[in-house]
Amino acid sequence: MKLCYKIDVLAALKAKGYSTYRIRKDNLLSESTIQKFRKGEGVGWENLETLCNLLSCQPSDIIEMR
């Protein structure tokens, strides 16, 4: 079993008003983290925490074990 994203992270951020340009400009997440979301790769706890704060959700809303 491995952790997988339940949602399209970048689409969810965009729906909340966070374009990738704004994310980079406001230094919310690094370019490498954005690329990891595009590729479906895992990110660190701090990035997951930031993502949850931006989306107003819990980690279980974003990731699951498959």
Side-chain angles (χ1 to χ4, degrees), residues 21-36:
Y21 172 78
R22 179 179 175 196
I23 292 168
R24 286 190 298 267
K25 181 177 139 283
D26 294 347
N27 248 357
L28 301 172
L29 297 166
S30 69
E31 178 63 32
S32 62
T33 300
I34 293 169
Q35 290 302 323
K36 286 182 180 183

Side-chain angles (χ1 to χ4, degrees), residues 9-62:
V9 174
L10 296 177
L13 285 167
K14 189 171 185 177
K16 286 280 191 168
Y18 296 101
S19 66
T20 55
Y21 172 78
R22 179 179 175 196
I23 292 168
R24 286 190 298 267
K25 181 177 139 283
D26 294 347
N27 248 357
L28 301 172
L29 297 166
S30 69
E31 178 63 32
S32 62
T33 300
I34 293 169
Q35 290 302 323
K36 286 182 180 183
F37 288 141
R38 282 193 177 113
K39 295 177 183 177
E41 296 174 356
V43 296
W45 287 112
E46 288 180 15
N47 290 319
L48 186 58
E49 183 178 355
T50 299
L51 184 60
C52 288
N53 287 328
L54 294 174
L55 297 176
S56 301
C57 67
Q58 296 291 316
S60 61
D61 297 327
I62 300 169

